[in-house]
Amino acid sequence: MHVVLDDTAMVAAGRGNLLASRLIHRAHAEPGWYLYAPACALVEADRARPGTAEHLAALPGVTVLELDLPAALVVATDTTWSQAHTRHAAAPTPERPAGAVVATAEPKRWTGEPVRIIDLTP
């Protein structure tokens, strides 16, 4: 299972959201579970809740995704860097042909987007 955290999921994790905590635990403890934090979403989460980026980046089960050239080209055409980088990270790749699921605490923001989501709202 490949899961990409959007900025709202990162903030929710920092505030102790049980569902976000379970995802983090699974990515650390269970084989086949992968959790990703796109750099642009990490920046936005840290703006909303200072300390979030450092905390998430230190977790062993979380892989921080850099803003490489393909991601930068996608981000450059969108108005929201965080959402664009998250959407790009969830897109299918040769390593993840089915793509990844986006974990979010604001599912309505993904309405009409070509992504599957995990709703972290309680």
Side-chain angles (χ1 to χ4, degrees), residues 3 5-6 8-30 33-35 49 55-56 59-62 103-105 118-122:
V3 180
L5 298 170
D6 75 359
T8 67
M10 294 177 196
V11 170
R15 290 187 174 140
N17 179 287
L18 181 62
L19 297 173
S21 295
R22 285 182 182 167
L23 287 175
I24 292 167
H25 173 73
R26 282 194 164 166
H28 175 68
E30 294 184 30
W33 279 81
Y34 303 95
L35 197 57
R49 187 173 191 275
H55 176 73
L56 281 172
L59 295 173
V62 177
T104 184
I118 295 174
D119 184 352
L120 299 181
T121 55

Side-chain angles (χ1 to χ4, degrees), residues 58-121:
L59 295 173
V62 177
T63 302
V64 176
L65 300 176
E66 297 178 2
L67 184 64
D68 58 7
L69 179 59
L73 295 174
V74 170
V75 167
T77 63
D78 209 318
T79 57
T80 308
W81 285 31
S82 173
Q83 194 163 344
H85 197 189
T86 301
R87 185 177 54 249
H88 174 73
T93 66
E95 297 82 26
R96 295 184 313 271
V101 179
V102 174
T104 184
E106 291 181 18
K108 289 185 180 185
R109 90 166 20 177
W110 294 101
T111 300
E113 295 285 348
V115 296
R116 297 169 291 150
I117 65 164
I118 295 174
D119 184 352
L120 299 181
T121 55

